[in-house]
Amino acid sequence: MKRKLLGALLSVAMVASLLVGCSSGGSTSTADNAGNDTQAEAPANNTQTETTAGGKIGISMPTQSLERWNRDGAYLDEQFKAAGFETILTFSDNDSGRQVNDIQNMLADGVDLLIVAAIDGEALNTAMNEAAEANVPVISYDRLILNDAVSYYVSFDNYTVGKLQGEFIEKELDLANAGDKVYNLEITAGDPADNNAGYFYNGAVDVLRPYIDAGTLNIVSGQIDFDTVATAQWNTDTALERAQNVLSSYYADGTQLDVWLCSNDSTALGVAQAITSDYAGSNSVVITGQDGDEANLKNIVDGVQTMTVYKNVSNESIVTLGLAKAMLAGDTIDASLANSFGIECAYDTESYETSAGNKCPSFLLVPNVITKDNLQELVDTGLYTMGDDGYLSAN
Ligand code: GAL
């Protein structure tokens, strides 16, 4: 009788740990704590792990038109296959309706767990609700999905990405010692549908705001609010067109442009093209970015772009695999798991919510600043090769 009761408790603990959404993220650890008590008595051979090895994983990526997602999809697919899982990998061409359909097809194919990088964090409710009803846990990958069906979030510290961009500008222009000098700044932010975009924007603007208020930084166009400077789908041509409009409207009279804050590389590419073709000034403009896209790394070597914030998405896939295995095995999921990957990764249960007040336990990796002076760090990851011309290509 006792063994039967223990077996029932174990099954409940495992199902409970799979079913918890971010909404009960806090209770995840509670359930796990309860699970711990139960697992402490788990049979030595821990049949849970054996029965869950080699499940089927649905990997839903937003698009292939933005360079990094091709790498995310490949790394995730490789990692899970190498670990003995069957995978379904889709790219939804930046079409949220298609992404819903892709996820529904994965559920119909009987996936055991979903990994989703949302095109629009608020547009997947139909698929997320179906996942919850089917007891299929969801890892929200890189971009937070705003639905309580999500169990965990794996990303980078997105606010810090923006903060690093703001601090780079602060240091590059030595704003703290600018005295009466005024620098002219413009801003290009990301996709409003992408939950990350606001964090990138706020991280940077929070650093620069004191200098804007003091008049040390002057936004000549007056365009600073997020919705005005945002870029739908992070589209390079959209960023290019807006930058050309700003330059023709506010800088054609010879006004000097000193710095352009761009939240990522695809938008920085458009801004850099506009500056190259339409900016009459002779000074080189400080331009920020994010992702380490190949064209932008070339621009960094050539002095067209000044920095990018690099995020090792291979490491992001390693953390995601480790988390998925722990979820499927009903293991305890807490800071000790984050520390077990050998990758700098914080376990954060406060910063992100899938709905008002519902904290989502998150695994946040650490971003790095890359300039022309430390490109070797990218080569040292083993993920890039430097050619004889000094340009980097992704392996
Ligand atoms: C964000 C992502 C960034 C950025 C953008 C474009 O959500 O975190 O790396 O590049 O999407 O894909």
Side-chain angles (χ1 to χ4, degrees), residues 196-365:
N196 286 353
Y199 285 89
F200 302 147
Y201 171 85
N202 289 328
V205 171
D206 285 353
V207 172
L208 301 177
R209 173 71 67 186
Y211 298 105
I212 295 168
D213 294 345
T216 305
L217 282 174
N218 173 36
I219 301 176
V220 177
S221 69
Q223 297 174 15
I224 182 170
D225 67 285
F226 177 74
D227 290 338
T228 303
V229 302
T231 311
Q233 301 202 344
W234 299 90
N235 184 276
T236 297
D237 290 339
T238 304
L240 167 62
E241 283 157 30
R242 178 177 162 261
Q244 287 176 320
N245 290 338
V246 166
L247 289 171
S248 61
S249 305
Y250 302 97
Y251 294 85
D253 62 359
T255 299
Q256 176 161 311
L257 172 67
D258 299 292
V259 50
W260 203 305
L261 168 67
C262 298
S263 288
N264 90 317
D265 281 352
S266 64
T267 55
L269 203 59
V271 167
Q273 285 167 1
I275 290 169
T276 301
S277 61
D278 296 34
Y279 174 57
S282 55
N283 66 299
S284 74
V285 179
V286 174
I287 300 177
T288 66
Q290 173 192 181
D291 289 323
D293 289 355
E294 287 186 1
N296 300 79
L297 293 174
K298 183 177 183 298
N299 276 350
I300 287 173
V301 170
D302 293 342
V304 172
Q305 182 171 328
T306 325
M307 65 83 84
T308 189
V309 175
Y310 176 65
K311 307 187 306 187
N312 187 320
V313 294
S314 173
N315 286 345
E316 196 173 12
S317 69
I318 291 168
V319 171
T320 302
L321 172 64
L323 171 59
K325 288 164 74 174
M327 288 166 70
L328 292 171
D331 293 345
T332 298
I333 295 175
D334 58 17
S336 62
L337 179 67
N339 297 332
S340 70
F341 301 125
I343 293 166
E344 216 179 336
C345 174
Y347 180 67
D348 179 323
T349 58
E350 292 303 321
S351 300
Y352 292 96
E353 299 181 347
T354 48
S355 64
N358 293 309
K359 302 291 184 186
C360 188
S362 305
F363 292 78
L364 302 179
L365 287 85

Side-chain angles (χ1 to χ4, degrees), residues 52-57 78-87 321 325:
T52 51
K56 188 187 287 188
I57 305 296
E78 287 157 21
Q79 292 284 349
F80 277 90
K81 280 192 171 122
F85 289 90
E86 187 184 341
T87 62
L321 172 64
K325 288 164 74 174

Side-chain angles (χ1 to χ4, degrees), residues 62-63 66-69 72 118 141-143 153 155-156 158 161 190-191 194-197 200 233-234 263-266 290-291 293 309 311 313 316:
T63 178
L66 290 164
E67 184 176 312
R68 68 151 292 175
W69 300 112
D72 293 87
Y141 179 87
D142 199 83
R143 299 169 167 178
Y153 178 43
S155 192
F156 285 79
N158 296 301
V161 169
D191 183 350
D194 178 350
N195 195 63
N196 286 353
F200 302 147
Q233 301 202 344
W234 299 90
S263 288
N264 90 317
D265 281 352
S266 64
Q290 173 192 181
D291 289 323
D293 289 355
V309 175
K311 307 187 306 187
V313 294
E316 196 173 12

Side-chain angles (χ1 to χ4, degrees), residues 43-242:
N45 64 358
N46 190 349
T47 51
Q48 292 173 11
T49 308
E50 290 161 9
T51 53
T52 51
K56 188 187 287 188
I57 305 296
I59 305 169
S60 169
M61 295 287 106
T63 178
Q64 291 189 284
S65 64
L66 290 164
E67 184 176 312
R68 68 151 292 175
W69 300 112
N70 295 280
R71 289 203 282 271
D72 293 87
Y75 292 144
L76 286 164
D77 201 46
E78 287 157 21
Q79 292 284 349
F80 277 90
K81 280 192 171 122
F85 289 90
E86 187 184 341
T87 62
I88 303 172
L89 170 63
T90 61
F91 294 88
S92 305
D93 201 22
N94 269 333
D95 175 340
S96 283
R98 178 169 164 182
Q99 188 166 38
V100 169
N101 191 255
D102 286 341
I103 295 168
Q104 289 174 318
N105 289 337
M106 290 173 181
L107 292 168
D109 283 345
V111 293
D112 299 295
L113 182 142
L114 285 166
I115 298 163
V116 181
I119 297 163
D120 179 336
E122 295 183 284
L124 295 179
N125 289 331
T126 304
M128 291 296 103
N129 297 341
E130 287 178 22
E133 281 154 29
N135 302 329
V136 174
V138 180
I139 294 175
S140 190
Y141 179 87
D142 199 83
R143 299 169 167 178
L144 188 61
I145 298 167
L146 303 179
N147 182 293
D148 292 347
V150 169
S151 299
Y152 296 96
Y153 178 43
V154 176
S155 192
F156 285 79
D157 184 332
N158 296 301
Y159 183 84
T160 296
V161 169
K163 187 164 176 279
L164 288 172
Q165 293 169 340
E167 289 172 346
F168 181 86
I169 291 171
E170 180 183 40
K171 185 163 172 260
E172 190 74 8
L173 298 179
D174 193 14
L175 295 178
N177 302 300
D180 296 335
K181 215 172 155 21
V182 176
Y183 294 96
N184 292 330
L185 159 75
E186 299 296 336
I187 301 172
T188 294
D191 183 350
D194 178 350
N195 195 63
N196 286 353
Y199 285 89
F200 302 147
Y201 171 85
N202 289 328
V205 171
D206 285 353
V207 172
L208 301 177
R209 173 71 67 186
Y211 298 105
I212 295 168
D213 294 345
T216 305
L217 282 174
N218 173 36
I219 301 176
V220 177
S221 69
Q223 297 174 15
I224 182 170
D225 67 285
F226 177 74
D227 290 338
T228 303
V229 302
T231 311
Q233 301 202 344
W234 299 90
N235 184 276
T236 297
D237 290 339
T238 304
L240 167 62
E241 283 157 30
R242 178 177 162 261

